[in-house]
Amino acid sequence: MEKKIKPCTENEEILKQRFLALRDTLDLLNGKWRFCILLNLHYYEKLRFKDFFEVSEGISPKVLSSELTTLEAHQLIKKKLEHTPTQDITYYMLTEHAGEIWTVLNTLIEFGLSNRKEVIKSLSD
Amino acid sequence: MEKKIKPCTENEEILKQRFLALRDTLDLLNGKWRFCILLNLHYYEKLRFKDFFEVSEGISPKVLSSELTTLEAHQLIKKKLEHTPTQDITYYMLTEHAGEIWTVLNTLIEFGLSNRKEVIKSLSD
DNA sequence: CATCTTACTTTCCTGGAGGTTACTAAACAC
DNA sequence: GTGTTTAGTAACCTCCAGGAAAGTAAGATG
């Protein structure tokens, strides 16, 4: 490239780190069901395995299982056993760490909402 | 479902809208190259078609072309013709609207960075 | 002890995102 | 007028996320 592309001031190593960080976050939120599970857990506080089939209509047990495993591995959700006289029930809940991702999701939602307004506006032009 | 899942206060219709908004935003940022293109445009201000092959190593012309088209359709980037005495050059640039997505990307990056620290910390335990 | 529910796992399959390569059309360079 | 660069498009292929359906194991229920 004979004619260098003009870079802005930011240091290249930092830029690279930021690329990776963004990649990480998107990988974490991508997929059809992940964020859906997180939003529902935020909304309902705790859910059992079977509950997800009601609140996330269309998800299959295989996919649910693997998504829950992934989210747990990333410490965004956790299992909690509740002991009743007759049986133990496994619930899924958000972790404290998920509080952070909640602010992230809100940012994405706000953008989505304002973007939708934008699109509707530009369609009416 | 005999035993209703306990909902929090938020109205269901609003929740649904927020789901859709989040879906929209993630769809917009997903994919292997989209955000990469946006970050590079932010960094370099303007890029030609061929430039992307240097800054986004590994992207193919087919994919680049389709990603640029999508981003343009969503009004995050725009083409700009620059006239020199000898020829016209097509540049791609961010739109004003992309300013908003820039704050979104920053939020995602910040989460990714702090999350990475978190992971490193928990590995050392 | 037979059946139901819950919480999964296993196997198999498909659509589509993204890669590879080659092609084209226009402008420029020599 | 022959090669080179730019800005794509077209045809084809591959891999894997996610879906469908069935199976399993453990406890509750009757």
Side-chain angles (χ1 to χ4, degrees), chain A residues 66-79:
Chain A
S66 83
E67 294 305 65
L68 289 174
T69 305
T70 309
L71 289 172
E72 204 185 352
H74 285 87
Q75 297 163 34
L76 292 177
I77 66 170
K78 62 185 173 194
K79 284 188 185 186

